[in-house]
Amino acid sequence: MLLIECPWCGPRAETEFSYGGEAGIFRPADPHALSDAEWADYLFYRSNPRGTHRELWNHAQGCRRWFGVERDTVSYRIKRTYCLSGASGGQPDGSAGGLEAGSGKRR
Amino acid sequence: MSESAPPAGIAIRVRSARGFINLRLNPRNRQALEAAERVLGQQAPLSANTFTGGEHNLYWLGPDEWLIATGAQRASELARELAEALKDFHAAVNDVSGGNVELLVSGANASMVLAKGCPLDLHPRAFAPGQCAQTGLGRAAVLLAAVDPSTYAIVVRRSFARYLRRWLENADSAGVPFRAAGKRQQAGYRSSP
Amino acid sequence: MKHYSALGLLRNALGRNRRWTPAWRSAGPKKSYDAVIVGGGGHGLATAYYLARDHGLRNVAVLEKGWIGGGNTGRNTCIVRSNYLWTEASLLYEKSLKLWEGLSRDLNFNVMFSQRGVYNLGHSLQDLRDIERRVNANRLNGIDAEVVGPAKIKKAIPCINTSPGARYPILGASLQRRGGVARHDAVAWGFARAADALGVDIIEQCEVTGIEVRAGRALGVATTRGAISSERIGVAVAGNAGVLAKMAGLRLPVESHPLQAFVSEPVRPVLNTVVMSGAVHGYISQSDKGELVVGAGIDAYNGYGQRGSFPVIEQAMQAVIELFPAFSRVRMLRLWGGIVDICPDACPIVSKTPVEGLYFNCGWGTGGFKATPGAGWVFAHTLACDRPHELNAPFSLERFSSGALIDEHGAAAVAH
């Protein structure tokens, strides 16, 4: 059982989360400009490291936010979890990241 | 053969005539937040996993999402007022009254009965009155809120409500006996033969 | 190799079993080989055996970082079947099933292949439609398959719960009577012994740490027991395929996940067939020792840890108890996890690579054990002839860019 630290809700049991695969995979801006091999790389090829893996998790049974996790794929130890940039509502600490300017903290 | 443990004696009741509204807006947009709060007549909790009481209960669901629990009669009207106040903002107001049921579980051992099927640490040190959490309970997805040291409110999908109630009754009366700890142990209560 | 026979058994019994000789030599690495197989599991050993037997390549080494059969070969639920949906996949698995049928005789080693039938249950109308489609497809490919209803299932498996009131009622199943189970360790030992007899060096405790590639050609491997040169390198390392690919500067479209299984205490015979359910995520059979062998779904996250999470075990147990309420009192004894390498289309890669002389057999996901002899057979052909056999030609690495995927998620039984 993994104990995953949701950036918003704190440590929660693995059963509350769903796994979203490797982080940092972005849909190419212009798919038509890609070769077949490049498109296959985007669709199917993942780094699948034996060691530190940057991945996405969703707190599905909790606050339903996506966030990033750095986890060792051999020991399964979670090194850190972090908010994704641009998350609506800002960061748990009230720092930047929201869609609009201003602090997430009240006054 | 082992006897089943005596019931821990929790009370489970459905809080009838409740209405629910799901509110989404980005609290960093101060004007939108204040517009909503004016209609609600109370502040929306901005700290994760807390709720505020008042005329309505406002539960934090996410950094840009709340559940408003109020009287069933009041809900649709309140939803309309919120939608009107927020019509110029990037916000969403949904009356979800029909989809949810609120259960109240109370009793000195309530937290220990819940703990049989909930992965949260329900010790008051970790989950004090005023805190809420969306989590799993007996495999159902629920919103769990600590109302006072011996009362919990559970908001659950209507289709899971009957199941969850039966699960709670079962957890209370039979199955694996839990060990009552320290001060919480009631007179006459046997943890296990 | 000493031929095993009933007479030999008797003779050794009378001689108080003191005259048995090791089934295979403990070989040390030579400087160079005609072919090197990385990975001493069932697939690697089978590859070496068929290379030696069918292609005359006997100067072959199998390199294993631990002990043979200690990876996924020893960490599965031993199920053998060939009832896949698409022609390409069915023919490959059927080749394997045909080899299984004669394997004990071929190897002169009892792999305890038992064709006790495999039921794939359907719990919804859509499940049943998929089952009918798959059964029809199997029959068109000459593979035995039939659709059976709940009454027949109940008759064949009295302890199964076919009541309509079940959470996931059993509405029917596909049945492949030629499917069954085999003894996982015996498969590794049998192939090792037979390959060794043909001159193959089986080198344990020898981990490959690098692959030497020069000008697009594989020239050899670096190992914990020294460098070994070879112009033909076949990699059959299941979950670690991505790691080996990286050593040669390649990427593979596979992701490694933990897959768990467990056995109960031995109980009296209650289940004489194999029952699988993709919908409730569990599969179960009873071993000859009486243990119930239960398989779970994969853990969702990437992992190389050879262990998974308890919620997945709980889910599999719930599935099994759902199907067999009587098993709720059975205690589980042992639990294990393997690392499965999952392809996006739930089909394997048995292919040449952009590096000349380097071949990969990987991506079998949750279905590798059943394919052991067949995979070895086609992989040996691919290595020996430097081109795939027609059975594994569709399972090339190129299919991910050409788009000719073979989607077997429906028949793969466990969610990939």
Side-chain angles (χ1 to χ4, degrees):
Chain A
M1 173 84 91
L2 306 180
L3 191 64
I4 302 170
E5 177 119 8
C6 168
W8 295 100
C9 304
R12 295 287 189 96
E14 178 191 341
T15 47
E16 292 188 10
F17 297 86
S18 66
Y19 180 64
E22 184 173 1
I25 308 286
F26 297 103
R27 186 182 169 85
D30 182 9
H32 295 289
L34 301 185
S35 69
D36 286 350
E38 286 166 337
W39 181 241
D41 198 82
Y42 159 67
L43 281 183
F44 301 128
Y45 287 72
R46 300 292 176 263
S47 63
N48 193 32
R50 190 184 167 93
T52 304
H53 191 225
R54 277 181 56 222
E55 57 200 21
L56 295 173
W57 286 80
N58 180 271
H59 193 187
Q61 227 176 43
C63 63
R64 293 185 295 288
R65 300 306 116 159
W66 286 98
F67 58 97
V69 175
E70 261 180 39
R71 187 179 57 92
D72 187 294
T73 57
V74 181
S75 68
Y76 300 163
R77 184 164 298 136
I78 292 172
K79 296 184 172 162
R80 73 184 183 105
T81 62
Y82 54 95
C83 267
L84 304 175
S85 61
S88 174
Q91 311 284 312
D93 61 0
S95 64
L99 298 171
E100 286 96 16
S103 166
K105 288 240 170 82
R106 193 184 298 277
R107 281 157 273 272
Chain B
M1 297 304 293
S2 65
E3 293 169 31
S4 63
I10 58 163
I12 306 159
R13 71 181 178 90
V14 176
R15 200 161 171 201
S16 57
R18 291 297 270 173
F20 301 93
I21 298 163
N22 184 283
L23 170 67
R24 294 202 69 170
L25 60 82
N26 190 335
R28 297 165 69 77
N29 183 342
R30 190 64 57 203
Q31 285 173 307
L33 180 65
E34 281 165 6
E37 287 177 343
R38 262 196 303 279
V39 174
L40 293 166
Q42 62 192 90
Q43 289 195 337
L46 293 185
S47 300
N49 294 301
T50 60
F51 69 99
T52 54
E55 188 192 349
H56 325 290
N57 277 345
L58 264 65
Y59 298 98
W60 183 97
L61 297 183
D64 58 1
E65 187 176 7
W66 294 266
L67 185 75
I68 303 162
T70 188
Q73 301 293 328
R74 178 87 177 93
S76 57
E77 190 193 337
L78 185 64
R80 261 196 310 276
E81 288 168 20
L82 277 170
E84 177 60 28
L86 294 169
K87 69 176 191 296
D88 294 330
F89 298 104
H90 183 64
V93 179
N94 285 296
D95 186 343
V96 291
S97 300
N100 293 286
V101 170
E102 186 172 343
L103 299 172
L104 283 175
V105 176
S106 52
N109 286 318
S111 66
M112 282 185 271
V113 173
L114 295 175
K116 286 185 179 183
C118 180
L120 285 185
D121 180 0
L122 294 175
H123 190 280
R125 198 172 45 218
F127 197 66
Q131 279 186 275
C132 64
Q134 295 161 93
T135 184
L137 179 61
R139 301 213 147 254
V142 299
L143 169 65
L144 182 69
V147 180
D148 63 46
S150 61
T151 309
Y152 293 86
I154 301 168
V155 179
V156 64
R157 292 296 168 125
R158 184 170 292 280
S159 55
F160 280 88
R162 184 181 294 182
Y163 155 77
L164 189 66
R165 186 178 183 142
R166 286 176 61 181
W167 184 90
L168 284 164
E169 286 165 359
N170 189 51
D172 182 26
S173 64
V176 185
F178 59 84
R179 194 168 307 172
K183 292 178 200 155
R184 291 194 153 224
Q185 188 149 5
Q186 287 178 317
Y189 174 76
R190 291 175 299 153
S191 62
S192 175
Chain C
M1 178 174 83
K2 275 226 170 85
H3 189 78
Y4 289 161
S5 65
L7 198 64
L9 201 61
L10 184 67
R11 199 179 300 128
N12 276 291
L14 292 174
R16 298 189 166 199
N17 290 318
R18 274 175 307 202
R19 266 174 276 166
W20 291 111
T21 52
W24 62 86
R25 296 166 291 130
S26 178
K30 292 192 285 189
K31 285 269 169 275
S32 102
Y33 288 94
D34 292 341
V36 162
I37 311 295
V38 185
H43 283 226
L45 294 164
T47 307
Y49 168 69
Y50 291 114
L51 268 178
R53 192 193 78 171
D54 297 352
H55 303 281
L57 272 176
R58 302 200 166 189
N59 185 26
V60 173
V62 177
L63 310 181
E64 167 56 48
K65 73 171 171 180
W67 63 95
I68 64 162
N72 288 2
T73 302
R75 296 164 180 270
N76 58 75
T77 50
C78 301
I79 299 170
V80 176
R81 63 190 174 95
S82 66
N83 54 354
Y84 281 70
L85 176 65
W86 300 104
T87 299
E88 294 87 344
S90 327
L91 293 184
L92 181 56
Y93 286 104
E94 178 63 12
K95 170 71 193 175
S96 193
L97 182 51
K98 289 222 168 82
L99 289 169
W100 275 114
E101 285 173 329
L103 197 60
S104 291
R105 208 172 317 126
D106 279 356
L107 301 178
N108 179 230
F109 197 94
N110 187 5
V111 297
M112 295 167 74
F113 179 50
S114 160
Q115 292 178 293
R116 53 183 68 180
V118 175
Y119 288 81
N120 290 81
L121 302 178
H123 303 272
S124 67
L125 189 58
Q126 188 57 47
D127 278 359
L128 283 197
R129 286 178 181 141
D130 291 342
I131 283 171
E132 280 177 18
R133 180 183 178 202
R134 190 158 43 77
V135 163
N136 284 334
N138 291 157
R139 289 179 161 193
L140 288 171
N141 281 321
I143 295 168
D144 78 303
E146 54 197 280
V147 178
V148 288
K152 259 191 158 170
I153 296 172
K154 184 74 183 169
K155 191 153 181 261
I157 314 164
C159 55
I160 203 166
N161 176 20
T162 53
S163 80
R167 173 77 179 83
Y168 296 97
I170 295 167
L171 302 182
S174 72
L175 166 61
Q176 184 177 27
R177 292 186 193 273
R178 284 166 62 241
V181 292
R183 172 93 168 90
H184 52 2
D185 290 333
V187 176
W189 299 335
F191 272 119
R193 176 170 168 272
D196 175 85
L198 295 171
V200 171
D201 279 357
I202 295 160
I203 304 159
E204 294 174 292
Q205 305 288 324
C206 179
E207 182 174 355
V208 170
T209 54
I211 297 175
E212 198 191 341
V213 179
R214 214 172 298 156
R217 264 209 75 87
L219 297 176
V221 291
T223 76
T224 48
R225 295 175 69 175
I228 299 171
S229 67
S230 177
E231 298 201 339
R232 270 197 205 94
I233 300 166
V235 180
V237 294
N240 283 306
V243 178
L244 269 285
K246 211 172 182 181
M247 292 176 188
L250 296 174
R251 295 181 77 199
L252 293 174
V254 295
E255 290 198 80
S256 301
H257 291 263
L259 177 67
Q260 305 180 84
F262 33 98
V263 294
S264 74
E265 59 192 340
V267 292
R268 293 195 172 201
V270 282
L271 184 63
N272 64 353
T273 184
V274 181
V275 178
M276 316 179 70
S277 170
V280 295
H281 278 177
Y283 34 106
I284 184 163
S285 65
Q286 188 172 22
S287 75
D288 292 345
K289 282 189 283 183
E291 301 154 327
L292 296 172
V293 184
V294 180
I298 63 163
D299 279 76
Y301 50 76
N302 293 41
Y304 285 90
Q306 292 193 324
R307 63 192 166 84
S309 288
F310 281 102
V312 175
I313 302 166
E314 191 183 353
Q315 198 182 17
M317 282 321 304
Q318 283 173 336
V320 165
I321 292 168
E322 171 78 25
L323 302 174
F324 299 94
F327 294 171
S328 64
R329 303 278 175 107
V330 175
R331 284 165 295 194
M332 291 297 147
L333 279 192
R334 292 196 310 281
L335 158 76
W336 60 90
I339 318 167
V340 296
D341 43 335
I342 304 233
C343 264
D345 59 354
C347 268
I349 297 165
V350 187
S351 177
K352 295 176 66 170
T353 65
V355 175
E356 233 180 296
L358 181 65
Y359 309 83
F360 266 84
N361 168 25
C362 63
W364 289 90
T366 60
F369 179 76
K370 65 175 77 68
T372 302
W377 194 85
V378 294
F379 198 39
H381 182 280
T382 309
L383 254 82
C385 309
D386 193 34
R387 65 183 151 77
H389 187 270
E390 61 178 12
L391 284 175
N392 68 314
F395 299 93
S396 69
L397 205 47
E398 288 85 52
R399 75 178 189 270
F400 297 95
S401 43
S402 73
L405 302 183
I406 307 155
D407 187 351
E408 282 292 0
H409 284 100
V414 186
H416 272 54

